[in-house]
Amino acid sequence: MRASQFHLATTKETPSEAEIVSHQLMLRAGLVRRLSSGLYNLMPLGLRVVRKIEAIVREEMNRAGGIELLMPAVQPAEIWQESARWEKYGPELLRMQDRHGRDFCMGPTHEEVITDIARKELRSYKQLPINFYQIQTKFRDEIRPRFGVMRSREFIMKDAYSFHTTEASLLETFDDMHNAYCEIFNRIGLEYRPVEADSGSIGGAKSREFHVLADSGEDALAYSTGDEFAANVEKAAAVAQGTRGEASSDMAVVPTPGVHTIDELSKALNVDAKQCAKTLLVEGTESPVVALVLRGDHQLNAIKAEHLEQVASPLTFASAEAIQSVANCDAGSIGPVGLTIPVIADADAANMSNFVCGANKNDQHITGVNWLRDLPEPVIADIRNVVEGDASPTGKGEIKIVRGIEVGHIFQLGTTYSEAMKATILDENGKSQDMHMGCYGIGITRVAAAAIEQNHDDKGIIWPESIAPFTAVISPINMVKSDAVKAAAEKLYQQLKDANVDVLLDDRPLRPGVMFAEMELIGIPHRFVVSEKLLAENQLEYKGRSDSEATLINIEEAVQKITAK
RNA sequence: CGGGGAUUGGCGCAGUCUGGUAGCGCAUCUGCUUUGGGAGCAGAGGGUCGUAGGUUCGAAUCCUACAUUCCCGACCA
C-alpha cells in the first residue's frame, strides 16, 4: 500500500473525550472515529487491525473443529420469548418493531438463534458434537458505554456455540475451546490469563474468562503464588484465617460523635480496622432486610452475596427509612448486636472476638463485642472479596491481585436453552433428549484496544506484529527530489510485497520528522529509512518499533530482516 | 438511573466571574524557502459560541428548560 493512496489521519493532540490510553491512541492514530455514544466507525487503518485479529481467530477456530456460519443481527422477539429472556434481559436489549408492529431486537448474543438452528437442523446423536461459530456485529445497549471500543454498544464478536449428547462431550469441547483460546492469544502475542469466573446472567455450570493483563483493566484477578489457581475476584473464594479468639473483654458503649466509616472509627478509637465489624443492611428474600457483617478491612462481594438465598438479587442496599426502622439509626452506626433480622457474617468476621461495631444508635459504637456471648451465632458465608495475602483456596500459596481486560469468555451452558426451546435429539436408544450446549465468545474489537493498552509508549502504539495494520513501512527521505532514493524505495517496496510482507510505502512529500512521528504513533513494527546518504554506502536504516536505536544494514538484507522472523 | 464535569471554526483551548458584538495554537488552502525527528516566512478561508425560551438598549457571558457528550457507581466480549 502506498501512503498517498491510503487514508491516514493522525493528530498531534489528544481528543478530550478519550480518557484511557488505548482510546486516545486509537483516535490519534486514526483507527476509529466516534459516530455517537458507544458507536464507532472503524477507519481503514483500524479495520486492517480487526481483520488480522479475525483471521487468527478464524484459523484457530477452524483448527479446533469450529464451523463458520453467519446469523442475522436482527432477531425476532418470538425466540427470545421462548427462552424467557425477552423479559429477563432488560433494557440492554435494544428492541424495535417492524412496519407490521412485530417485535424485534438487535442481537446482543445469539443463543436463541443458534438453538433454533440446532433444533431444526440436528436430529441424530450421530451429528454431534458440533460447534458453530460466527464473527459478527453485536449490539448491547450498555448503561454506560466507555473507553471507546473497549466498551462500545456496537462491537464485533466471535461467538461459538457447541451442541452435545452428553455432558462429557461438552467438557471435551470446552477444553478444546480453552486451548484454542490460549493459542489465539499466544499467536496475537498478548500477555493474558485464563481465570475462573462467575457465569453471570447467561447461566450455566462452569465458566472461564480470558483476560489481557493491563493496569487499566476493569476487572481484578486473583491468582495464587503456589499453584495454577486464578479467578476473577468476583468469583475467587475467600479463605478465613485462624480461629475465633477468647472473649476477654466486656462490652462497653463508647461515644463516637461524627464517626460514620470504618476508617473514622479506627482512627477515633485507635483500633485496627481488622478489629472493627462493618454491618451492611441489604434487601432480603424472606425478610425485608438482612444484615451482612464483614471485617472492617474487607470489601463486600456483591456477586457472592446475591447468590445467597436470603439475599435479594440484584443486591440492593436498604433505604435510609428501612435502616431506621430496623436499627433505629443511620447507616454509619449499624451493628449486629440486638438486631432481630437475619445476620449473615463473612467467615473472617465470624472469627472476630472482642470487636468494635455500631451500637444501632447514632454517634455510638460498642467495644468488646463477642459472638455467642453478646449476640447469637451468625449464619456464616463467604461474602467478601479476596485480598492480597489471603491464603489460596487451593491451600497452596497466597493470593496476589492483578488487573485485566476481559477479552474472552467460555461457558458451559448445559441444557438451559435446549430445554426452553425444545432442542432435542435422538440418542443411541432412539430416545429424545435435550442437547447440552456450550458457548464461547471473543470480543474482537476489544482485543485491539486491549493490545494497545498493553503495548504502547509515549510515542504511540507498539503493535504486536501479528495484528499490526502494516508490518513494515518504508520511509524515504526527500523522495521528491532524489531519483535514486525514489528508485531504491520503489525497489524495496516491490521486494517486500513479493515476499508477502504487508508493507506501506510512505511516498508522501513530507519532512522526515513528520513521517517518523506518524508511523511511530500508528505503531508499525518495522521501519526502513532510505536516504541518499545511506544509498551511497549501499545501506538502509532499520528500526524495530520498540528498538531504542536504529541500525544500518545492507540493502540486500532488508527483506530477510523481516521474513527471517 | 444516581453523582460530577463539559459543549466557542475540523481538533485542542482562552474569553463567561465583572454583558458592549469572538480570539489563540494545531490542522486546511496559496506562494516562497527548507528536507534525518510533527520546519520557517508571507498571505487566505472557515464559527448564527449545543438548542429553545427569557432578562437587557445590547447576551458566548446573566436566568430557565431541554439536548448531546465525558468521567465515577450497578451490566458485560
Side-chain angles (χ1 to χ4, degrees):
Chain A
M1 181 63 69
R2 291 166 189 273
S4 62
Q5 312 287 309
F6 196 65
H7 178 71
L8 292 174
T10 64
T11 61
K12 274 193 252 187
E13 278 167 312
T14 304
S16 58
E17 69 187 63
E19 199 75 8
I20 65 168
V21 69
S22 61
H23 189 198
Q24 292 173 344
L25 290 174
M26 284 180 111
L27 288 169
R28 284 192 55 207
L31 270 61
V32 299
R33 295 283 184 241
R34 189 178 64 80
L35 174 63
S36 175
S37 178
L39 299 176
Y40 285 84
N41 294 304
L42 266 179
M43 299 305 283
L45 201 63
L47 182 61
R48 284 186 152 257
V49 173
V50 164
R51 290 287 182 249
K52 290 197 176 182
I53 297 170
E54 286 177 356
I56 292 171
V57 169
R58 190 171 272 125
E59 273 179 41
E60 294 305 324
M61 287 303 293
N62 290 344
R63 196 195 307 281
I67 308 169
E68 187 170 6
L69 50 55
L70 187 59
M71 294 178 263
V74 175
Q75 307 178 15
E78 286 80 14
I79 52 177
W80 283 77
Q81 283 154 355
E82 276 191 71
S83 70
R85 286 210 292 184
W86 187 256
E87 290 75 32
K88 273 194 222 158
Y89 212 92
E92 209 176 302
L93 185 65
L94 180 66
R95 297 151 210 254
M96 60 204 159
Q97 292 190 332
D98 69 3
R99 60 168 69 195
H100 301 112
R102 293 178 51 196
D103 289 319
F104 289 86
C105 64
M106 287 295 293
T109 173
H110 278 67
E111 280 83 9
E112 281 80 4
V113 180
I114 198 74
T115 306
D116 181 65
I117 290 175
R119 67 182 170 185
K120 288 171 176 162
E121 298 289 325
L122 305 174
R123 293 270 163 267
S124 160
Y125 73 95
K126 292 174 190 164
Q127 294 171 291
L128 303 189
I130 195 163
N131 189 0
F132 294 113
Y133 78 93
Q134 64 173 349
I135 296 176
Q136 194 233 24
T137 298
K138 297 278 186 272
F139 192 96
R140 295 183 186 174
D141 200 356
E142 295 278 352
I143 300 167
R144 183 153 87 81
R146 63 181 142 174
F147 303 149
V149 301
M150 189 74 85
R151 180 181 297 284
S152 52
R153 294 195 289 179
E154 185 173 311
F155 60 101
I156 301 173
M157 174 166 151
K158 185 284 299 176
D159 47 327
Y161 306 88
S162 67
F163 294 89
H164 311 269
T165 37
T166 63
E167 204 175 336
S169 165
L170 168 57
L171 285 175
E172 218 168 279
T173 298
F174 184 83
D175 285 343
D176 289 347
M177 284 293 105
H178 188 284
N179 294 336
Y181 275 35
C182 290
E183 200 48 45
I184 287 166
F185 296 119
N186 283 335
R187 272 186 65 184
I188 292 175
L190 296 176
E191 200 188 335
Y192 70 99
R193 193 147 205 153
V195 302
E196 290 174 27
D198 188 80
S199 44
S201 61
I202 293 187
K206 187 172 163 188
S207 88
R208 202 157 269 261
E209 290 169 348
F210 288 76
H211 286 262
V212 168
L213 303 186
D215 292 337
S216 60
E218 290 187 87
D219 286 276
L221 314 175
Y223 68 93
S224 165
T225 54
D227 58 18
E228 291 303 296
F229 173 80
N232 195 307
V233 162
E234 289 176 351
K235 169 86 174 176
V239 177
Q241 331 235 349
T243 53
R244 190 183 297 173
E246 289 287 308
S248 53
S249 29
D250 294 329
M251 274 219 297
V253 174
V254 293
T256 52
V259 169
H260 302 291
T261 66
I262 293 293
D263 201 35
E264 290 163 357
L265 180 63
S266 86
K267 281 199 182 103
L269 301 184
N270 196 23
V271 293
D272 199 322
K274 289 180 180 178
Q275 268 307 111
C276 303
K278 185 193 301 193
T279 307
L280 307 166
L281 298 187
V282 300
E283 293 182 6
T285 49
E286 289 143 24
S287 62
V289 182
V290 177
L292 303 177
V293 182
L294 292 154
R295 214 169 71 185
D297 59 324
H298 285 153
Q299 294 288 324
L300 176 71
N301 180 313
I303 302 224
K304 289 178 182 177
E306 68 188 28
H307 281 330
L308 298 176
E309 58 181 33
Q310 300 94 326
V311 174
S313 177
L315 186 85
T316 314
F317 283 97
S319 64
E321 299 82 61
I323 293 173
Q324 273 294 344
S325 75
V326 169
N328 301 311
C329 64
D330 296 329
S333 307
I334 311 168
V337 180
L339 289 181
T340 53
I341 56 172
V343 174
I344 300 169
D346 181 72
D348 282 287
N351 271 352
M352 297 170 81
S353 57
N354 309 309
F355 61 87
V356 182
C357 66
N360 295 324
K361 219 170 191 185
N362 282 349
D363 300 330
Q364 290 189 5
H365 282 77
I366 316 178
T367 61
V369 179
N370 284 280
W371 298 107
L372 209 54
R373 189 192 71 183
D374 307 321
L375 71 171
E377 196 67 29
V379 175
I380 296 175
D382 173 13
I383 51 172
R384 72 171 173 94
N385 285 334
V386 291
V387 293
E388 290 232 1
D390 274 358
S392 165
T394 54
K396 289 179 198 153
E398 65 176 44
I399 293 292
K400 295 272 184 201
I401 309 265
V402 289
R403 298 205 70 86
I405 299 163
E406 186 188 351
V407 290
H409 202 160
I410 58 179
F411 298 88
Q412 293 168 20
L413 291 174
T415 57
T416 316
Y417 291 90
S418 45
E419 264 176 49
M421 296 182 64
K422 302 190 176 60
T424 60
I425 202 152
L426 291 183
D427 65 15
E428 297 92 320
N429 306 314
K431 270 182 65 178
S432 181
Q433 68 165 76
D434 296 323
M435 286 186 263
H436 291 261
M437 281 178 70
C439 79
Y440 320 93
I442 290 180
I444 302 284
T445 28
R446 187 181 279 182
V447 168
I452 296 172
E453 211 56 49
Q454 195 175 75
N455 302 284
H456 64 269
D457 61 15
D458 55 350
K459 290 178 178 151
I461 303 168
I462 306 177
W463 287 113
E465 190 166 322
S466 60
I467 60 172
F470 294 98
T471 307
V473 58
I474 301 167
S475 303
I477 306 285
N478 207 7
M479 186 163 91
V480 273
K481 284 228 179 130
S482 166
D483 289 338
V485 168
K486 183 170 167 53
E490 289 284 355
K491 186 177 172 195
L492 177 58
Y493 177 53
Q494 197 55 50
Q495 286 172 339
L496 286 166
K497 280 209 298 188
D498 290 345
N500 250 331
V501 175
D502 199 359
V503 59
L504 180 71
L505 173 62
D506 199 344
D507 57 348
R508 300 170 299 172
L510 294 177
R511 299 166 58 83
V514 179
M515 288 195 289
F516 296 158
E518 197 163 33
M519 292 307 152
E520 280 162 347
L521 172 60
I522 291 171
I524 299 179
H526 304 282
R527 183 185 79 192
F528 294 103
V529 178
V530 181
S531 76
E532 206 143 48
K533 189 176 68 191
L534 293 172
L535 280 180
E537 309 287 327
N538 196 40
Q539 284 182 320
L540 294 174
E541 181 191 290
Y542 168 81
K543 184 172 179 297
R545 176 62 180 83
S546 49
D547 297 346
S548 52
E549 298 288 332
T551 55
L552 297 182
I553 59 171
N554 288 323
I555 291 180
E556 295 75 28
E557 300 170 49
V559 174
Q560 190 210 343
K561 191 86 192 170
I562 292 177
T563 53
K565 293 191 177 181

